[in-house]
Amino acid sequence: MSVNRTCSHDALPDLEGIPGLPMDRSVWVIPNWNESFVGMTACCTPNEVHIGGGPGFEGCVLWCLIPDSILKRKDGKKGETGEVLSAMRHCVMDKGGVKNFISGGQVKDNAASSNMDRTTLLGVGVWVLLAVGLLA
């Protein structure tokens, strides 16, 4: 998807000012332009890249949930905040060919990087309720 924007590479709203951004999850944000979109798409996989903004930034912010491949170290534990955000930045630089840009994000404890865990848990809960209902 090609994006033709005239968004500043040097400005982002506060995370709280980005509509739809889940403040209880590990996320990363960057200004929206063609190269940054390419880099974000490659680095956020399997998670979706969202286009958002807020007052004065409409359509000028890309954000995604940080994928487990970057969020977690090889030992399976969550990486330190600076380590994770730096890894996202370097990934977008490498994959998108961008060098100078502002970025932001947050790494939350016990915050899964995808919806897979929530979906699985909900599915198990539904099956348990169905099984209990059939036994009653």
Side-chain angles (χ1 to χ4, degrees), residues 9-89:
H9 298 199
D10 301 317
L12 284 172
D14 291 334
L15 294 180
E16 294 86 12
I18 302 172
L21 188 90
M23 294 305 297
D24 61 336
R25 308 290 293 281
S26 296
V27 296
W28 201 67
V29 300
I30 185 174
N32 183 10
W33 72 96
N34 289 336
E35 293 83 3
S36 66
F37 188 84
V38 169
M40 285 285 281
T41 301
C43 298
C44 293
T45 298
N47 298 327
E48 181 181 352
V49 175
H50 301 270
I51 300 173
F57 292 93
E58 293 86 357
C60 285
V61 176
L62 299 175
W63 68 268
C64 72
L65 298 175
I66 299 173
D68 284 340
S69 60
I70 292 177
L71 187 63
K72 295 181 180 178
R73 299 187 305 228
K74 290 182 174 75
D75 62 6
K77 295 182 181 175
K78 179 186 67 66
E80 296 295 322
T81 297
E83 171 186 22
V84 170
L85 298 181
S86 178
M88 282 296 295
R89 183 174 182 83

Side-chain angles (χ1 to χ4, degrees), residues 64-128:
C64 72
L65 298 175
I66 299 173
D68 284 340
S69 60
I70 292 177
L71 187 63
K72 295 181 180 178
R73 299 187 305 228
K74 290 182 174 75
D75 62 6
K77 295 182 181 175
K78 179 186 67 66
E80 296 295 322
T81 297
E83 171 186 22
V84 170
L85 298 181
S86 178
M88 282 296 295
R89 183 174 182 83
H90 284 95
C91 183
V92 170
M93 289 171 70
D94 293 343
K95 306 280 184 177
V98 293
K99 301 297 175 215
N100 297 315
F101 59 92
I102 189 171
S103 61
Q106 64 184 13
V107 177
K108 293 289 188 172
D109 290 333
N110 301 320
S113 63
S114 70
N115 290 328
M116 185 70 73
D117 293 334
R118 290 180 183 183
T119 303
T120 302
L121 187 57
L122 177 63
V124 170
V126 168
W127 279 107
V128 167

